[in-house]
Every structure is written in C-alpha cells, then in structure tokens.
Amino acid sequence: MKQRPMLTLEDCKKIAAAAEAEAKRNNWNVCIAILDDGGHLLHLARMDGATPANARIAVAKGRTAAETRRSTANWQERVAKRIELLRMPEVTPVQGGVPIVFDGTCVGAVGVSGVQSHEDEQIAAAGIKALG
Amino acid sequence: MKRLLFAAIAATLTASVSAQQPAQPNPRDAVPDKMPNDIPYGAPISLDRAQAAINAAVAESKKRGWKLNIAVMDSGANLVAFARMDGAQIGSVAIAEHKARAAVKFRRETKAFESGVQEGNLHYLLTLDDIIASRGGIPIIDNGQMIGAVGCSGGTGSQDEVVCKAGVDALAKR
C-alpha cells in the first residue's frame, strides 16, 4: 500500500500565520484558506476588513489548486490562450491558489482572496514557505 | 353513474366529520405580545476573537481525545474562521458551517430545532429555510448583541455541543 504525507492542523496554523503576517506587512485585508489534497477545507481565516466574498473565493481558488495539482495562475494563463478551458467544471482560473507540494506530493493548497491576484498569490506563497 | 359516485363521496365525508373528536386547542394559535428571540445583530466578530473561540474549542476537544470541525460565522452569517482537527471527518466540514450559520440566522442555538422536532413534534421546522435540527451551533452574544456564532461537527451531537460551548464560553471570559 502506498503511503502519503498529510497536513496537520499545526501545519495549517503555521501556514496561516505566515500568510497573515505577509498580508499585514503590506496593509492588506484578505482571506486565507487552506485545503487538503481532496479539496476539503482544513483552516480558514478572514482578516478584519476582508469581505464575505473573499471567504468564498479563497476557498474556490484553493480547491482548484488542490484538486488539479496546479496553481490557479497556471489556469489563468492557460485560459487566456484557450478560452474553452472556462468550461472545465469547478475550476476558478484566477491567480491566488497555490498547491502545497511536500516530497513531490501535493498535500493540499492555499487560496487567498482580497487584493490584486498577483498579491493574493504572494501571500499564499509566503504561507507555504513557512512550512519549510 | 356520476351522480351516484358523488353521493358516495358525500356520504363518506359526512361520516368522517361526525367521527371526529371535539377540536383540541392548537397551542400554535396563541399570539404572544412580544417578539421571540429579539436579539439585535451586532458588529461582526473580529478575526482575533473568532480564532480565540476556535483555539478554546480545539483545546477542549483535544483534552477529550475527539476530532471535530469548528466554524465561526460573523453576525452576517459569513465565514470568519475555520479549523479541521487532524482526522476529523470531512463530511462535517459543511455541517459545522451550517450549524454556525443557522445559529446566526435564527439567533438561537440549533439545539432549539432539534428539541422542537424531537420533543415538540414541530415537524414544520424542517420545512423552514436553512434550518439544521441538530445541536452544536451556538450564537456569540456580546453586550446583549449577537456578533456571530460557533458551529461544531464531527462527533455525536452531544460531543459537538460540549466543544462548541467551550469555544463560546472562552469569549465570555475575555
């Protein structure tokens, strides 16, 4: 039987704290969602001032990255070249969702929403970096 | 033929009416003077306090060796914070959110719906929008106003409720 690594709640707290610190440093109010490799929610923090929609969109971006094992920035690029990809079910092709890869395995993803898409991704990346 | 059939139906109706018991007063016909659950919606809970509630709930759950999902909604029924403990069942992610959302939307513990359906025989509750008739969703009241709610799911309803309460009580102490 194959074994695979798995995110713990402690890992999630580490990721969320680093991502939130990155957002705070820039005075950004965002929502940060962390999902497992099945696209199920593990941890969510909506910073004061972030909108209800940010909570929904952060989860949608994270789920896309987790389930497809690729960043939503990659989806955005591919959609720009191939508009028909917009018909892919349950995909949110907007930058800000980043898969978490550990030992070559996707263990989940971080989705961020609240500022410009490339800034959302910057926050997600900062969170994942904290995992080491 | 048609007339005969009609006569038969009429006879049946008359029989069933006369067989009825004298009408019982329906308690739901009573019209109270005051509004029930008239708790004002307050400002949305801050992330700091939402996370404090989750931390307290996780600590209580850990102490008992349980694995639950915990969600906090603000006073507009929007998700503010969420945590799934290691090994908690994923079907309960949505249920934890649902319980917290229902507690905010109806300004009462979701246990009220469970009791209503189970003990009160108020089956109509299940036809209302966005209801969940299961305990484990509790509003957070601050200075007489509701600022949000905590919802827990993953164990039995009673386990969910214990952990949920630990989260809400932690805020009251602060």
Side-chain angles (χ1 to χ4, degrees):
Chain A
M1 189 70 77
K2 201 181 163 196
Q3 300 211 330
R4 57 190 182 138
M6 203 173 176
L7 285 173
T8 63
L9 183 54
E10 282 311 307
D11 295 330
C12 293
K13 281 182 179 167
K14 242 188 254 174
I15 296 168
E20 199 181 323
E22 177 72 13
K24 268 202 180 129
R25 192 161 36 244
N26 291 287
N27 268 326
W28 294 332
N29 303 320
V30 300
C31 179
I32 301 147
I34 304 167
L35 300 93
D36 70 14
D37 58 345
H40 307 292
L41 192 58
L42 276 169
H43 191 276
L44 182 140
R46 174 155 63 96
M47 294 170 68
D48 301 346
T51 67
N54 291 147
R56 237 183 16 247
I57 298 166
V59 172
K61 287 181 183 178
R63 185 164 292 144
T64 300
E67 289 179 344
T68 66
R69 314 319 198 208
R70 52 171 90 218
S71 71
T72 53
N74 177 274
W75 272 103
Q76 190 174 315
E77 281 166 28
R78 294 195 307 145
V79 164
K81 289 186 201 124
R82 290 177 59 201
I83 190 74
E84 66 272 24
L85 288 179
L86 276 181
R87 286 302 304 261
M88 288 293 163
E90 311 281 319
V91 164
T92 302
V94 182
Q95 192 175 15
V98 183
I100 306 168
V101 179
F102 182 84
D103 273 353
T105 306
C106 176
V107 293
V110 180
V112 177
S113 172
V115 277
Q116 292 194 51
S117 309
H118 67 277
E119 296 165 343
D120 289 340
E121 185 177 274
Q122 176 186 332
I123 295 166
I128 294 171
K129 207 173 154 200
L131 207 50
Chain B
M1 187 64 192
K2 246 180 202 164
R3 199 168 289 173
L4 262 179
L5 192 64
F6 175 78
I9 291 171
T12 321
L13 275 176
T14 321
S16 69
V17 166
S18 60
Q20 260 179 11
Q21 302 288 318
Q24 294 280 326
N26 182 346
R28 288 187 289 288
D29 287 341
V31 182
D33 291 334
K34 285 189 178 160
M35 283 295 300
N37 284 74
D38 194 12
I39 306 162
Y41 289 91
I45 186 171
S46 68
L47 177 57
D48 269 355
R49 298 185 78 188
Q51 277 173 334
I54 286 193
N55 289 341
V58 167
E60 179 70 28
S61 185
K62 249 188 196 158
K63 200 175 78 189
R64 295 167 180 266
W66 299 342
K67 304 158 183 177
L68 299 184
N69 297 271
I70 302 127
V72 178
M73 297 279 167
D74 68 15
S75 48
N78 304 301
L79 191 58
V80 179
F82 179 90
R84 169 147 56 99
M85 294 177 66
D86 300 347
Q89 74 179 19
I90 52 181
S92 288
V93 173
I95 301 174
E97 291 183 28
H98 193 158
K99 285 180 180 175
R101 196 175 295 121
V104 167
K105 284 189 167 181
F106 296 94
R107 303 181 292 191
R108 68 197 80 190
E109 297 192 18
T110 54
K111 189 184 200 169
F113 301 123
E114 184 190 301
S115 311
V117 172
Q118 297 293 335
E119 286 103 55
N121 273 325
L122 304 176
H123 300 154
Y124 78 91
L125 288 175
L126 297 173
T127 68
L128 302 182
D129 289 38
D130 307 334
I131 285 284
I132 184 160
S134 172
R135 66 186 86 180
I138 305 179
I140 304 167
I141 310 293
D142 184 43
N143 280 327
Q145 301 198 324
M146 194 194 55
I147 59 170
V150 180
C152 287
S153 181
T156 65
S158 52
Q159 289 173 327
D160 296 343
E161 188 183 35
V162 164
V163 169
C164 195
K165 227 172 214 139
V168 173
D169 289 350
L171 293 185
K173 282 179 206 140
R174 274 155 66 98

